[in-house]
Amino acid sequence: METKHLLAPMMGVENSQAVREAAAILRRGGLVAIPTETVYGLAANALVPEAVKRIFVAKGRPQDNPLIVHIADMAGIESLIRTMPPCAVKLADAFWPGPLTMVFPKTDLVPDVVSGGLDTVAIRIPAHPVAREIIRTAGIPLAAPSANRSGKPSPTTAQHVLEDLGGRIDAVLDAGPCSIGVESTVVSLRSGTPHLLRPGGITPKELETVAGNITMDAAVLSQMQADETPASPGMKYRHYAPQTKLVLVQGSWKEFLAYVLGKDKPYGVLCFDEDAQAAPQPCLTYGSIHDANQQAVQLFDALRRVDTLGVGTVYVRAPAAEGVGLAVYNRLLRAAAFRVVSL
Ligand code: TXA
Ligand code: MG
């Protein structure tokens, strides 16, 4: 299959030829990678099981890992979920459209293949104007996981999508790089109170300001045991990972440098912009130590470059796990298969 590279206009998204073409493919049951403010998503008609199944095939995704359903506005939610607790209404008012996904008890309209057999469904209203216009033009809810091959870092550019899925999907709609760079915050409202399943663009503090106390799933910061049933199936898989072995190293620059200089060559490092001049080579960077938003924007591109360094191991200087940095840390932890050294 040839993957069409459609260019979304920077301005005047409405009525654009590229958006109409993408929407037509989706209505026919095809697969289109679409831009969102977090990462690119691989979209299909969420209400047609055959279309959704193609997502799992293209990505090589395990069937029990459920998908997020994307809608354009609140009118789209009623037929998909059974109840919406008051705190969810507050969260929706505050953060939709935006990088927040909420998990609710699902209706029968949501196919089992979308929910991975669970009785819940994850919903998001994305803020990206192109994403919203596609959903509106197609007139259907879109199931969309991140548009990477399963296990690889999520794509933040159309080029990343084509590297992973070129020839396996109908089209990619290119609207340039994503502005947030890590996936949405996932919160379960299954029990009525917010439970954080995956940190992302909306921080725990922002959630608490609006919804009061939230609880955090154990899987956010630690490894699931083989016999545990995770609240969010995606948490149990190796994820975001290059082929190269990563080790996450927590400590000051001085401590980090002393630690890596004691290692046998060849190895590489992934550190902050401020560290680069004094870093051993080869070295990649993922933004400023002082700017978690910038780290989020650059992280997945840097992880995709790690394999080009031609070394067996890359030592990564760990970010502060606060604010959006919690999401950056969470992704690195998985990319490093939970290999962490604290100095
Ligand atoms: O920013 C994002 O969220 C992007 C863009 C495209 O919207 N999407 C994304 O999808 O990251 P994906 O499939 O890569 O991650 C969805 C996460 C997975 O960890 C999955 O297990 C979890 O959400 N999830 C989906 N439905 C769920 C449900 N019903 N209950 C618990 N977790 C769920
Ligand atoms: Mg993903």
Side-chain angles (χ1 to χ4, degrees):
M1 164 193 306
E2 203 198 322
T3 300
K4 276 194 185 167
H5 188 170
L6 304 171
L7 286 178
M10 296 315 240
M11 313 279 277
V13 178
E14 274 165 58
N15 266 324
S16 106
Q17 170 63 27
V19 169
R20 268 183 288 154
E21 197 170 341
I25 296 170
L26 290 165
R27 287 190 65 85
R28 286 200 297 271
L31 299 185
V32 182
I34 62 167
T36 85
E37 70 278 24
T38 56
V39 300
Y40 276 74
L42 180 58
N45 185 341
L47 303 182
V48 175
E50 289 68 37
V52 175
K53 278 180 197 153
R54 290 194 189 109
I55 292 179
F56 288 86
V57 175
K59 281 186 56 109
R61 182 178 174 104
Q63 298 273 347
D64 68 345
N65 193 2
L67 307 178
I68 297 172
V69 176
H70 297 71
I71 54 179
D73 46 51
M74 285 303 279
I77 205 169
E78 235 163 77
S79 60
L80 303 172
I81 69 168
R82 277 191 278 122
T83 53
M84 188 154 177
C87 63
V89 176
K90 285 191 203 158
L91 287 170
D93 279 347
F95 301 117
W96 277 351
L100 175 69
T101 296
M102 290 196 269
V103 175
F104 300 102
K106 78 174 193 72
T107 63
D108 291 341
L109 190 66
V110 179
D112 283 341
V113 55
V114 170
S115 62
L118 300 175
D119 56 4
T120 52
V121 62
I123 308 277
R124 174 155 109 86
I125 302 183
H128 197 295
V130 174
R132 303 188 68 197
E133 190 57 25
I134 285 222
I135 302 167
R136 272 196 291 258
T137 308
I140 44 179
L142 297 179
S146 49
N148 50 284
R149 286 296 286 259
S150 198
K152 294 251 292 182
S154 297
T156 52
T157 65
Q159 202 48 47
H160 293 162
V161 174
L162 288 168
E163 274 166 33
D164 275 18
L165 299 174
R168 304 177 69 88
I169 61 176
D170 296 288
V172 56
L173 184 56
D174 188 347
C178 302
S179 60
I180 293 180
V182 290
E183 305 86 344
S184 61
T185 301
V186 181
V187 172
S188 174
L189 287 137
R190 206 166 177 251
S191 70
T193 54
H195 183 62
L196 179 67
L197 296 178
R198 180 178 73 180
I202 305 287
T203 66
K205 212 182 245 164
E206 288 175 305
L207 295 172
E208 291 197 316
T209 306
V210 170
N213 270 355
I214 60 163
T215 52
M216 183 153 81
D217 204 76
V220 170
L221 287 174
S222 63
Q223 189 165 18
M224 302 292 305
Q225 296 306 308
D227 57 352
E228 283 178 276
T229 307
S232 182
M235 293 284 195
K236 73 183 175 200
Y237 296 108
R238 181 181 146 91
H239 217 149
Y240 316 114
Q243 302 291 319
T244 311
K245 176 178 162 190
L246 297 186
V247 179
L248 196 52
V249 183
Q250 286 175 316
S252 67
W253 173 243
K254 250 181 153 173
E255 291 166 327
F256 179 89
L257 195 59
Y259 176 80
V260 297
L261 290 176
K263 298 288 169 189
D264 290 335
K265 289 252 172 196
Y267 61 79
V269 299
L270 173 56
C271 55
F272 298 115
D273 294 349
E274 290 86 348
D275 309 332
Q277 260 205 327
Q281 296 299 319
C283 153
L284 293 169
T285 58
Y286 69 108
S288 166
I289 189 169
H290 303 297
D291 189 344
N293 292 315
Q294 193 183 48
Q295 293 163 23
V297 167
Q298 296 187 18
L299 178 70
F300 288 139
D301 187 63
L303 287 178
R304 279 174 180 264
R305 286 168 199 256
V306 158
D307 289 334
T308 66
L309 298 181
V311 296
T313 305
V314 166
Y315 296 96
V316 185
R317 191 153 175 230
E322 303 157 3
V324 173
L326 179 65
V328 176
Y329 182 81
N330 168 278
R331 305 310 187 268
L332 277 169
L333 204 53
R334 282 167 175 75
F338 297 91
R339 283 179 291 261
V340 184
V341 177
S342 295
L343 301 173

